[in-house]
Amino acid sequence: MITLTIDGKPVQVDQGSTVLDACRKVGIYVPTFCWDERLDSIGACRICLVEIEKMPKLQVACITPAVEGMIVSTQSAKAYGGRQSIMELMLANHPLDCPTCDKGGECDLQDVAFLSRQDSSPMAEPKRRFFTSPESTFDEKQIGPLIYLTMNRCIVCFKCVRFTSEIACEGDLGAFERGGHTQIAAGIGEAVKNEFSGNIVEICPVGALTSKPFRYKVRTWLTQKKASVCNYCADGCNLTLWTANNKIFRATSRRNDAVDEGWICDKGRFGVDIVNHPKRITSPLLEKSGQKLEITWEEAYEFASKSLKSIKEKHCSNSVAAIGSAHCSNEDNYLLQKFFRSVIGTNHIDHRVFYKNPLPASNSICAMQNSIEDLEKTGLIFVLGCDLTVEHPILGLRIKKAVTKLGQKLIVANNRGTKIGKFASQEIVYKFSSEVAFLNAVAHQLLQSGLVDKNKLRVPSEFESWLKEFSSQRTADDCSISASEIEAFAQAIGRAQSCIILLGRDVITHPYHKDVLQAAQNLAYLAGLFEKEFSGLNLLWEYSNSCGAQDMGVLPDRLPGLIPLSDSAYRAKLERAWNCKLPEKSGYNVKQILEAIDRGEIKALYVMQEDLIANFPDQGFVRKVLPKLEFLLVQTILPSEMTKIAHLVLPGASFAEKEGTYTSDEGRVQKTQAAFKPLGNSKPDWQILRELSLWMQGPFVHYSSQEISEEIANLVPAYSGKQSNKLSLTGERILSNGQPNVGDYQLKRVDFQPLQPNKEYPFHLLTGNLVSHSGTLSSWSASLRAVAKEVFCEISVSDSDQLQINNDDWVEIESAQGKLKLRARISDRLREGTVFVPINFPEAPVNSLLDKDSLVDTVKINKIID
Ligand code: SF4
Ligand code: SF4
Ligand code: FES
């Protein structure tokens, strides 16, 4: 430790600290503009000048190392005068347009000017101007789809440029020219549209960078701020929602170092505009003669309860099914399954609408073994079957930090190139669906190279000899990669001190997902990852509360806590708590529910905040079967084809309008505050379920979101102590016990099942999210639509050559199910024989090409000739 004195106060700081760190430690304010503890300090603005004894010149506190015995003065006349001169120089060119600047009220320059009480300037020269009009200081330029730059206001602190290059590791923003002529600008011919671009607006200390959706809409001091959590991907970034008059004006980061370190992606930042979409459904709607009539809540509950009761009485409890949502809170989902199990008496409950072939639920909580922070501590990160930047932007950002700042190693393997791949020491792009062969071959290499600790791990000889089928040479052919790629990866994982494996969407949706998981588990076991520190195998679920919906038991064969229905002791516990008899037989998953509707077995369906027509991987089938229902109730925030055909539509509240808890991928249970009252007559989903239950003489009498959260904490072992009033605003992790115990683990053979070529439809159809979208929910966001407007398909270079297709040509993607007309994008990230179509655009529904019964989805590509 170093001891120094600041303004007469002794302070001890760690070796390597700066004078500014020391000042902050004892709560002494020194103004800063260019400094941010998350960025490398460069001492650009010089506003943090302080006087240090025995140093003739004033020193810049943010880059001056603290030294033993140093005596620092921040308030001496010399220090104060130095900072005043810096302010004069800044204001010499900075326009004094605070009254009309969008940053007014939250501008660091304005605050420092206010604190230093400088009300005059010796500078009389004309101000330096950039850009166009001599009349106005609004000389602004749009530098990206959602960002404006007003260069006249720039104080050249380089925070935006440093964030872009150091943290986002992008190159779409730079500083050009030098000295007083320095200009911040997008790269020539480029726009700033990396997936983290909004952070530069947030960290700009002045009004030089402003957000297109937010600017000039409201003054910040007229808003209220509420703590929330992003409702798109499962990373669980913390948000502050800025609201006024029942409207969200913007979302900014709410720093939680364990999760996001104060950065959020543009999807989370700008996609909150869906909350105030003008088409929000705000009243219950009843279908009558092809029209939707607004009705009261009493009429809606009366109609819903009568319909559900009469169908249940006429048929049976199992003629009713329910779909929950990976975007709804734990409380909403918990109450949904409780209502359908206890009041209706059915286990036909699911929420996995994106998957035709869902992975069996695990027997423990589904969260990651490792924390997000572990990514910085592990020796090797291995990403398999995951377009990380797209699916989990903040995990991607953390991994970039681990690689570029902390020297961690990254290896990426996927069926197509991914953006995170450029940070990898090894990027393997294997043939579609060859993961099992690849993983087995790596396992074989580990054994062959003596990299498995056989003193600790049990490796049956028959397993080892079976694995010999997967020689690197033979497997290289199966995977269309080289043998040396397999061998190099085996060496890396076998020799790593620690390794975290991340499995993504391509594994969850894989035709043989159970096999891929098993092969990955075998590999993790052989590499010793079940017992090494900062190591583990992690399956990354996709949406904001995918983990919570599973943990709450919105599954046909699992009770809350993912406890199997067959666990009679736990079932009895719930029966006592809920005062009911629970159905014992497993229910249907989403696909089976739809098939049962088709057979006439299920007559009533309750859908909470999900869109089966837009998202289930066989749109034609959903469209065919839903009209067969006697009763379809859709509880939602926005209109859709589902609400058109529903008998009853109930207006749920958005995530921003309700309190609740959500469980992120790392198992962090985080709470949200209601930012304002639910719009119009809409209500939180849990409240609708509670009131409907009362209407049906169900047991949910006095029940608030908080009380539901307490019940969850009491009844779900993993959530013990996680009731919302006990959680801090940064949340708390439930600890996953899903990793097999190394002593009990048994290696299992997993045979590789190669896919047979399909002559009529020769291309494998890959689907997934775009980086600026999440499912079809984000398609309602005007801001995100400004970034990614139009659907397209990606075709590999060699296929496009062969089919003579150029960029932007119209093509028809045709499957046995249907056709889509799309613009072609030639992509060097795709392998020959694959085509990628995003899932995010309901107007070009890729699920209309999919078949719920086919293992893989194949298409042909027809060039459209005008
Ligand atoms: S635009 Fe803002 S963040 Fe960027 S250099 Fe200028 S003042 Fe700093
Ligand atoms: S979409 Fe994911 S990464 Fe982006 S802000 Fe939301 S939680 Fe964070
Ligand atoms: S804050 Fe220290 S030089 Fe800018």
Side-chain angles (χ1 to χ4, degrees):
M1 295 291 270
I2 293 165
T3 305
L4 66 165
T5 308
I6 316 264
D7 292 345
K9 286 190 190 172
V11 51
Q12 284 203 322
V13 289
D14 291 332
Q15 201 79 30
S17 301
T18 62
V19 171
L20 182 67
D21 295 332
C23 293
R24 289 169 66 88
K25 188 160 182 197
V26 279
I28 291 175
Y29 171 72
V30 175
T32 57
F33 292 135
C34 69
W35 175 84
D36 183 314
E37 64 182 317
R38 298 163 295 176
L39 303 172
D40 295 343
S41 295
I42 55 169
C45 72
R46 314 196 78 72
I47 194 62
C48 61
L49 289 176
V50 292
E51 188 176 2
I52 299 176
E53 246 185 54
K54 299 193 184 131
M55 290 190 169
K57 287 187 183 168
L58 292 175
Q59 298 297 312
V60 172
C62 68
I63 53 170
T64 302
V67 173
E68 182 65 37
M70 213 175 219
I71 297 176
V72 180
S73 171
T74 70
Q75 294 304 319
S76 69
K78 192 174 168 190
Y80 188 79
R83 295 200 296 267
Q84 213 161 20
S85 303
I86 296 293
M87 278 299 283
E88 274 170 12
L89 282 171
M90 279 184 183
L91 294 173
N93 282 319
H94 191 87
L96 301 179
D97 61 353
C98 296
T100 53
C101 175
D102 205 52
K103 194 81 172 186
E106 55 175 3
C107 170
D108 292 351
L109 187 67
Q110 194 182 47
D111 290 348
V112 175
F114 177 79
L115 283 175
S116 61
R117 301 172 69 103
Q118 264 169 292
D119 59 359
S120 62
S121 166
M123 311 282 186
E125 295 77 11
K127 288 177 188 284
R128 176 204 61 195
R129 301 293 303 274
F130 290 92
F131 306 141
T132 51
S133 164
E135 311 298 322
S136 165
T137 59
F138 288 93
D139 276 341
E140 57 197 12
K141 189 171 171 182
Q142 190 167 355
I143 57 168
L146 299 170
I147 296 176
Y148 276 89
L149 169 66
T150 309
M151 192 60 213
N152 292 333
R153 296 189 189 131
C154 174
I155 57 167
V156 202
C157 71
F158 300 109
K159 265 185 177 171
C160 53
V161 177
R162 283 145 64 208
F163 168 80
T164 305
S165 60
E166 270 179 46
I167 307 289
C169 303
E170 300 281 349
D172 53 2
L173 186 77
F176 300 87
E177 307 287 344
R178 305 188 66 181
H181 298 286
T182 303
Q183 283 203 48
I184 303 302
I188 295 164
E190 283 187 47
V192 181
K193 54 179 183 188
N194 71 73
E195 63 271 16
F196 291 104
S197 70
N199 291 289
I200 62 174
V201 174
E202 197 171 322
I203 59 171
C204 177
V206 294
L209 290 166
T210 49
S211 133
K212 187 178 176 198
F214 175 71
R215 63 211 298 262
Y216 310 130
K217 299 286 192 310
V218 69
R219 304 291 358 203
T220 49
W221 56 85
L222 298 176
T223 61
Q224 288 86 48
K225 291 192 273 178
K226 292 289 177 184
S228 194
V229 175
C230 177
N231 202 231
Y232 286 115
C233 92
D235 289 357
C237 294
N238 291 198
L239 302 182
T240 298
L241 301 180
W242 300 65
T243 70
N245 304 325
N246 272 15
K247 190 171 169 19
I248 291 188
F249 283 89
R250 70 175 174 187
T252 54
S253 68
R254 179 169 61 83
R255 185 168 172 179
N256 180 348
D257 283 345
V259 179
D260 50 46
E261 298 188 302
W263 312 119
I264 53 175
C265 83
D266 287 359
K267 187 158 44 189
R269 181 184 301 277
F270 296 114
V272 291
D273 57 353
I274 63 166
V275 169
N276 290 102
H277 196 284
K279 290 200 172 151
R280 270 288 296 270
I281 296 174
T282 53
S283 279
L285 302 170
L286 181 71
E287 162 78 25
K288 211 160 201 183
S289 317
Q291 302 246 306
K292 289 283 183 298
L293 300 181
E294 278 194 15
I295 56 170
T296 64
W297 274 107
E298 285 72 24
E299 289 165 329
Y301 290 138
E302 171 86 17
F303 184 75
S305 63
K306 268 192 181 158
S307 305
L308 290 171
K309 265 185 191 162
S310 76
I311 289 171
K312 178 180 158 178
E313 279 160 18
K314 199 161 128 204
H315 305 283
C316 64
S317 299
N318 278 331
S319 58
V320 181
I323 307 287
S325 172
H327 289 291
C328 279
S329 68
N330 289 331
E331 290 72 17
D332 298 329
N333 278 305
Y334 176 82
L335 221 56
L336 180 96
Q337 62 81 35
K338 178 175 172 181
F339 177 84
F340 281 91
R341 289 196 160 110
S342 67
V343 179
I344 304 291
T346 180
N347 279 321
H348 296 332
I349 301 164
D350 202 353
H351 69 283
R352 299 163 295 177
V353 298
F354 287 87
Y355 317 117
K356 56 181 162 187
N357 177 23
L359 262 170
S362 68
N363 277 350
S364 62
I365 61 160
C366 71
M368 292 164 66
Q369 302 297 319
N370 299 103
S371 68
I372 294 176
E373 286 181 312
D374 282 354
L375 293 168
E376 292 182 8
K377 298 173 187 148
T378 190
L380 171 67
I381 302 159
F382 172 49
V383 180
L384 177 81
C386 183
D387 191 346
L388 201 72
T389 321
V390 166
E391 294 167 33
H392 300 282
I394 275 296
L395 294 195
L397 203 69
R398 195 63 84 121
I399 289 174
K400 285 183 204 172
K401 178 184 172 192
V403 172
T404 60
K405 294 207 168 189
L406 306 171
Q408 255 70 297
K409 200 165 163 179
L410 170 70
I411 296 182
V412 174
N414 210 337
N415 60 29
R416 57 193 186 273
T418 57
K419 200 168 165 188
I420 199 77
K422 76 172 185 217
F423 298 89
S425 56
Q426 195 186 356
E427 185 181 18
I428 301 156
V429 182
Y430 48 71
K431 191 162 93 185
F432 177 75
S433 192
S434 63
E435 288 85 349
V436 168
F438 169 69
L439 293 166
N440 285 348
V442 176
H444 170 62
Q445 275 301 311
L446 282 187
L447 284 162
Q448 210 183 28
S449 315
L451 292 170
V452 175
D453 185 349
K454 287 192 181 166
N455 293 325
K456 277 195 190 157
L457 305 173
R458 276 178 296 111
V459 187
S461 52
E462 55 282 17
F463 180 86
E464 193 165 351
S465 50
W466 162 76
L467 214 47
K468 286 188 182 135
E469 283 176 31
F470 295 91
S471 70
S472 43
Q473 198 52 57
R474 190 185 137 190
T475 308
D477 293 343
D478 286 334
C479 303
S480 293
I481 55 178
S482 68
S484 60
E485 286 180 278
I486 295 169
E487 286 152 16
F489 174 52
Q491 289 295 321
I493 193 166
R495 295 187 186 284
Q497 290 296 312
S498 49
C499 170
I500 290 177
I501 302 181
L502 302 175
L503 310 174
R505 185 176 197 275
D506 286 354
V507 174
I508 295 171
T509 59
H510 195 281
Y512 299 109
H513 46 29
K514 281 179 263 176
D515 293 349
V516 181
L517 267 184
Q518 184 61 59
Q521 270 195 347
N522 287 347
L523 177 62
Y525 173 78
L526 292 172
L529 307 190
F530 294 161
E531 55 171 10
K532 286 182 182 169
E533 211 189 358
F534 305 122
S535 301
L537 183 64
N538 303 275
L539 188 60
L540 304 178
W541 295 95
E542 289 189 272
Y543 297 107
S544 56
N545 205 28
S546 292
C547 283
Q550 294 182 66
D551 290 349
M552 293 304 110
V554 185
L555 292 166
D557 55 350
R558 291 286 187 279
L559 294 165
L562 284 167
I563 297 171
L565 270 171
S566 53
D567 185 330
S568 53
Y570 187 64
R571 220 178 44 243
K573 181 176 173 181
L574 290 186
E575 286 175 343
R576 280 194 300 278
W578 296 351
N579 194 23
C580 68
K581 183 91 190 105
L582 290 174
E584 293 175 23
K585 203 169 145 244
S586 284
Y588 293 152
N589 64 30
V590 175
K591 180 182 163 197
Q592 293 162 335
I593 288 172
L594 291 167
E595 287 168 342
I597 297 171
D598 192 31
R599 292 194 300 273
E601 186 185 324
I602 287 181
K603 312 273 184 195
L605 181 66
Y606 193 118
V607 183
M608 180 176 80
Q609 306 283 11
E610 283 293 354
D611 187 339
L612 289 159
I613 295 179
N615 298 318
F616 182 74
D618 191 336
Q619 188 177 63
F621 186 66
V622 185
R623 277 193 175 139
K624 183 186 118 188
V625 306
L626 289 187
K628 295 187 179 185
L629 287 162
E630 284 177 26
F631 181 53
L632 172 61
L633 186 156
V634 175
Q635 188 167 304
T636 185
I637 60 169
L638 287 158
S640 65
E641 205 179 318
M642 293 280 291
T643 57
K644 274 193 197 140
I645 61 169
H647 301 100
L648 181 64
V649 179
L650 299 181
S654 76
F655 81 101
E657 295 147 53
K658 58 190 176 192
E659 285 176 4
T661 59
Y662 295 78
T663 308
S664 72
D665 258 358
E666 66 158 0
R668 184 170 297 273
V669 187
Q670 305 189 99
K671 64 179 173 187
T672 58
Q673 297 173 328
F676 46 78
K677 283 204 320 255
L679 291 187
N681 286 325
S682 63
K683 296 184 181 196
D685 297 287
W686 62 263
Q687 191 180 337
I688 298 172
L689 286 156
R690 173 192 164 245
E691 289 169 2
L692 181 57
S693 154
L694 289 177
W695 214 269
M696 295 181 73
Q697 281 101 47
F700 308 175
V701 189
H702 302 293
Y703 231 7
S704 63
S705 175
Q706 170 60 35
E707 283 163 318
I708 303 168
S709 165
E710 272 166 29
E711 184 171 315
I712 296 169
N714 285 335
L715 291 177
V716 182
Y719 282 69
S720 172
K722 304 291 184 295
Q723 51 268 60
S724 54
N725 61 351
K726 288 206 176 154
L727 288 173
S728 74
L729 279 174
T730 49
E732 213 176 290
R733 280 188 78 208
I734 39 178
L735 292 180
S736 176
N737 55 356
Q739 189 128 287
N741 185 325
V742 75
D744 301 335
Y745 187 77
Q746 305 218 330
L747 288 160
K748 288 197 194 94
R749 286 171 53 154
V750 203
D751 290 313
F752 170 53
Q753 307 186 60
L755 297 178
Q756 299 310 316
N758 179 331
K759 284 209 181 101
E760 195 178 352
Y761 299 104
F763 291 90
H764 285 124
L765 176 60
L766 311 177
T767 61
N769 283 295
L770 291 181
V771 69
S772 47
H773 280 286
S774 177
T776 46
L777 188 62
S778 60
S779 67
W780 288 93
S781 162
S783 300
L784 298 180
R785 282 278 182 155
V787 181
K789 296 184 186 66
E790 195 186 53
V791 67
F792 58 87
C793 63
E794 277 181 87
I795 300 174
S796 75
V797 175
S798 57
D799 293 327
S800 62
D801 282 349
Q802 210 180 2
L803 297 167
Q804 299 186 335
I805 292 169
N806 296 313
N807 253 332
D808 283 338
D809 280 352
W810 283 104
V811 296
E812 196 174 63
I813 305 292
E814 182 180 350
S815 73
Q817 303 295 104
K819 295 174 188 175
L820 278 183
K821 186 179 159 191
L822 301 165
R823 289 247 187 231
R825 272 194 202 163
I826 315 305
S827 166
D828 59 7
R829 75 188 191 116
L830 288 192
R831 290 188 70 104
E832 188 178 359
T834 55
V835 52
F836 174 84
V837 182
I839 59 172
N840 312 113
F841 299 90
E843 68 275 19
V846 67
N847 66 338
S848 65
L849 303 179
L850 310 181
D851 177 354
K852 69 181 173 57
D853 294 319
S854 66
L855 205 52
V856 290
D857 294 293
T858 52
V859 293
K860 61 183 167 188
I861 304 172
N862 309 314
K863 180 173 175 178
I864 297 177
I865 301 171
D866 302 325

